[in-house]
Amino acid sequence: MGLGLGVLGTILVFIPVIGFFGFILLGAGFIVSLISLFLKGKKWPGIAGLILAVVGTIIGIVMSFVYLFAFAQGVSEEIDKLPTSSPSIEATAPSDTDGSEGTDVGVRPTAPEVAQGLTAILSSSGAEGYTEAQITCLADLFVASDLDNATLRTIADSDGTLTDTDAITGCLVP
């Protein structure tokens, strides 16, 4: 009986979910095998049951640590996969200030409209000597660029109050 409990307990120790029951069976097999040594009859099943219970317990302890470390490593890898920061609500929410006052920002201004606004900006900033071809060149580049419609509409509708002229110097070389 002790040998049978030792065999069954050793097998169950290898299964992670029910390994605990394997340790209980190994303990019971050890006790039953120990008792069988003091009874009359053959002693080899009791000795084999004792040896198997001790070896099964050692194997079970090693397997428990292996399962524990594998589980801890899996948890650690999953923690490393977690995002380090939460996504910003402001980055995904549409802005309420996309439109300008009463103008349709969906309509891209034409090059002549942008050229008229650029002329007003350049004249109000004190920049003189630009030819109409240079201003037209700038307007064409702005309309063909990645500038959004609202920015182009601001330039086209400008009365000369836009003062950042550093971005437009590429076309101004004669």
Side-chain angles (χ1 to χ4, degrees):
M1 180 78 121
L3 181 60
L5 289 173
V7 169
L8 187 60
T10 303
I11 291 171
L12 290 179
V13 164
F14 284 100
I15 303 171
V17 177
I18 57 175
F20 177 72
F21 297 114
F23 282 112
I24 293 174
L25 290 177
L26 283 170
F30 180 80
I31 293 171
V32 170
S33 295
L34 187 63
I35 292 172
S36 73
L37 292 178
F38 297 104
L39 298 175
K40 289 184 180 184
K42 297 181 181 180
K43 305 287 183 196
W44 72 266
I47 294 172
L50 276 174
I51 293 172
L52 187 60
V54 170
V55 171
T57 302
I58 293 171
I59 291 172
I61 291 171
V62 170
M63 292 303 295
S64 295
F65 280 116
V66 168
Y67 292 138
L68 178 69
F69 288 131
F71 178 74
Q73 184 179 5
V75 168
S76 174
E77 287 175 3
E78 289 300 319
I79 288 173
D80 290 341
K81 290 179 185 178
L82 291 175
T84 56
S85 64
S86 62
S88 173
I89 295 173
E90 295 175 8
T92 59
S95 175
D96 293 340
T97 60
D98 284 343
S100 58
E101 300 93 22
T103 61
D104 183 12
V105 294
V107 177
R108 195 159 182 87
T110 62
E113 290 174 331
V114 174
Q116 180 181 1
L118 282 175
T119 303
I121 292 168
L122 290 173
S123 64
S124 70
S125 67
E128 296 178 4
Y130 294 109
T131 65
E132 189 175 324
Q134 290 173 328
I135 294 174
T136 304
C137 174
L138 283 172
D140 290 338
L141 286 176
F142 282 170
V143 171
S145 72
D146 293 356
L147 288 174
D148 59 353
N149 293 346
T151 304
L152 284 177
R153 180 60 59 194
T154 302
I155 293 172
D157 294 342
S158 176
D159 58 355
T161 58
L162 184 64
T163 59
D164 186 14
T165 59
D166 292 337
I168 60 175
T169 58
C171 287
L172 301 180
V173 178

